[in-house]
Each structure stands twice: as structure tokens, then as C-alpha cells.
Amino acid sequence: MKILLFSHVHNQNRLKISMIEFIKNMPKVELHMHVEGSMDAKMLWKLAHKNNYKLKYNSVEELVKAYKFNNLTEFIEMYMLGTRVIQSEQDLYDVCMNYFQTCVEQNIRHTEVHCDIRTYVDYGYPAEFVINALHGAFTDAKKNYGITGGFMPCFIRHLGNDVAQKDLELLLPHKEKILAIGLSAVEVPYPPSLFKDTFKKVHDAGIKVIAHAGEEGPPEYIWSAIKDIQVDRIDHGVRCLEDDKLVDYLVETQIPLTVCPCSNVALKVFDSLSQHTLPIMLKKGLNVCINSDDPAHFGANLNENMIGIAENTTIGKNEIIHMAKNAINGSFADQARKDELLSELSDYKLS
Ligand code: ADE
Ligand code: ZN
């Protein structure tokens, strides 16, 4: 009996290890990662020191402890501190290249990165500060590592539509360099409808639209993202399950939802990974994929998000592959690149 029990545990562990290795080695696409969210406490500390920015923390350890939050608003405050210590194009380029290093380690082959311009413009830098840093980093990531993708400036929703309008004017001259424009930061009480006229101009300029919706906000915010600003993709969207008609609509239209499991747990959208509704979303036929959101703040890069979900829910290899495909198809890569990524994935699956 003992031996049987042991061999059962042993087999379970082997299964676990093979799943972990499978995820780690799988070629991946990430569609939801905020550039400053990749900056861990150590890097923040280093940049603050380099730029003589006085932090209210006396040591890295204190800063690490402060990387804890109870909700989105508290998190955004800490996230904003990260933007304070970035004081040159080179700093932002370095933060981005540091993330690409992680992409190499995690076998992320294509990534679409969120950023803000408003924060830096308000600090007195030109919008080009962000555009040049990220464009330069993506150019080098492609050249050095073969990683493709691009960046997606977001309007900071709690600053309102007038500021978003000004941001758009700053972004339009650079529209060839950006993949999409999004809506991020404190979600409630700022539904996408508040930004309707600005996003109409975004569409008129031929730029794709994404929005955080249904992270903390109710299903009505997701409806608003669909009806008022005609999103091409939704960030999070997990609260759609509270509205059957919305689920039906999302299943029918297959609008991609970039789900971020560890972020959801850190920001208390769910109590734990085992409570996460991703398996239900998948079963219902929603077009979901897994992402890291702010990996350094939530202590989990893309692999750890996937592994966490595989270890704590019913999701297995087939679902992981299915979501990896969703990420490729839901990306803003051109069809040729999508085909390349799909064939890399199917070669891997067969190997
Ligand atoms: N900015 C960075 N991370 C975010 C999140 N999870 N939701 C909204 N805005 C963000
Ligand atoms: Zn996000």
C-alpha cells in the first residue's frame, strides 16, 4: 500500500515537472504587460540612486515590503513611483531591454507592451521620450533576439477625457510606431464611455483600440468598451461572467480577453489562483489568453502565471496550447508573423 501511494505521488510529481518544463520551453506570445510593471524593487532602487531621487524607504528590503497592495488604486500609487525614477530615454530603454532579457529566458517570441506617455509629459519630458525609448528597445529586441511586437500607449483613465484628447494629439504624429492605443489605470468610476469622442478619433486615424475593462469594474464597463469605444481587444474582462448576455456576445464575436491570473490574485479580484475563473471562461468558449500584467509587482512573469494556473486549476496541456494559439491570433502581428508563430508552436507541440 505504502509503495503504491509513494508511486502515485512520484507519478504526480513527474507529471508536474513535465508540465512545468512544457510551459517553460513553449514558444509564447504576451499581449498584456506594462513596461514599468516589469521594474522590480531592486531596479527601482538602483535607478533612484543613479538619478538622486529621494525615496521614502531606507533600504531595498523596505521597498520590497512596500510592493504589497490591497486593490488597484493602491497598486497604481506604487506603480507611479516607478515612473518617478525613470529620468531619461536611456533609463526607459534599459527597463524595456531588461524585460526583453526575461522574454529570452522565458521563450516569449512576440510581445505587445503597454506604456503611458502622460506621466512623463506631466514630468516635463516630451512624448518622444517614451516613443523613442520603446521604439529603440523593440528595434534592438528584434535585431538581437528575434523578438517581435510593439508598444501600446494608454490613456490614464482617472485623468479624464480632456487629458486623453491631448495625449492623442501628441501620439498621432507617431502613429506608424504604435500598435494600438489603450485605456488603463484606476478603472472605477471611469467607464470607457467617458472617452467615446477621443476613441472615435483613434479609430478614424486607423489605430487599433484596447481597454482595461472588467478587472475591478462591473460587466457594464465591458459593454461600454465594446459599444462606446469599439475595442479590438479587452484587457482582463474577467468580470464578464456576471452577465450571460455579455458572455454570449464575447463568445460570438471572439473579442480577445487578455487575462492576468497572478495580477488578479495580487489585486484581490480573486482570493487565490485555485478560485480563478479562467477554466470556466475557457469552457464557455471565450477567447482568453494568459499574461503577466505587471510581472515585477505581482512576482510572476508569463511562465509563472501559466504554471500557477496549471498547478492550481483543472487546466492542462491542451488548454495551455489553446490559449497560446489565442494569444498569437489575438495579437496585432501581421498574418505572416502570426503564421510563423503558429507553426513554431505546432512544431513544438509535436516534438
Ligand atoms: N496599469 C498597470 N497595471 C494595471 C492594471 N492591472 N490595471 C489597470 N491599469 C494598470
Ligand atoms: Zn494591465
Side-chain angles (χ1 to χ4, degrees), residues 132-346:
N132 294 344
L134 293 186
H135 186 69
F138 267 98
T139 305
D140 290 348
K142 174 123 194 266
K143 197 167 65 192
N144 299 343
Y145 312 125
I147 295 170
T148 54
F151 56 100
M152 308 171 293
C154 296
F155 301 140
I156 299 181
R157 64 207 302 161
H158 58 265
L159 299 182
N161 185 49
D162 290 348
V163 175
Q165 176 63 44
K166 287 187 190 135
D167 286 356
L168 179 59
E169 278 156 29
L170 295 172
L171 288 169
L172 282 177
H174 305 285
K175 70 175 190 177
E176 306 308 329
K177 289 190 178 144
I178 63 184
L179 283 182
I181 294 184
L183 201 50
S184 70
V186 180
E187 186 178 6
V188 181
Y190 309 98
S193 53
L194 299 176
F195 303 85
K196 193 171 174 167
D197 61 327
T198 305
F199 276 107
K200 173 159 188 329
K201 291 179 187 157
V202 175
H203 281 295
D204 289 347
I207 302 170
K208 301 252 190 248
V209 170
I210 58 171
H212 284 61
E215 178 185 15
E216 279 192 350
E220 291 73 33
Y221 279 48
I222 304 177
W223 276 124
S224 175
I226 295 165
K227 303 255 192 244
D228 296 319
I229 66 167
Q230 286 87 35
V231 275
D232 293 286
R233 199 160 79 199
I234 292 169
D235 289 320
H236 296 291
V238 287
R239 287 195 60 191
C240 71
L241 291 181
E242 295 165 32
D243 179 338
D244 289 344
K245 283 214 173 82
L246 177 57
V247 170
D248 289 347
Y249 184 87
L250 288 169
V251 170
E252 193 187 308
T253 54
Q254 287 293 294
I255 297 174
L257 307 177
T258 64
V259 176
C260 308
C262 293
S263 160
N264 292 155
V265 173
L267 299 182
K268 315 251 185 317
V269 177
F270 297 102
D271 289 340
S272 65
L273 282 177
S274 57
Q275 308 274 308
H276 202 287
T277 50
L278 189 56
I280 302 173
M281 297 177 90
L282 265 173
K283 276 211 186 83
K284 292 203 180 263
L286 289 158
N287 184 0
V288 286
C289 61
I290 296 182
N291 302 271
S292 69
D293 202 5
D294 300 282
H297 291 86
F298 306 139
N301 286 301
L302 186 53
N303 280 348
E304 291 74 31
N305 271 274
M306 289 183 173
I307 292 166
I309 276 293
E311 285 187 333
N312 290 287
T313 72
T314 52
I315 284 175
K317 243 184 213 176
N318 288 341
E319 288 92 347
I320 290 286
I321 295 168
H322 178 74
M323 288 188 282
K325 264 195 208 153
N326 285 349
I328 297 171
N329 289 319
S331 76
F332 297 132
D334 61 26
Q335 195 56 49
R337 180 60 178 149
K338 282 185 187 179
D339 290 344
E340 240 170 52
L341 291 162
L342 285 168
S343 94
E344 247 183 75
L345 182 63
S346 92

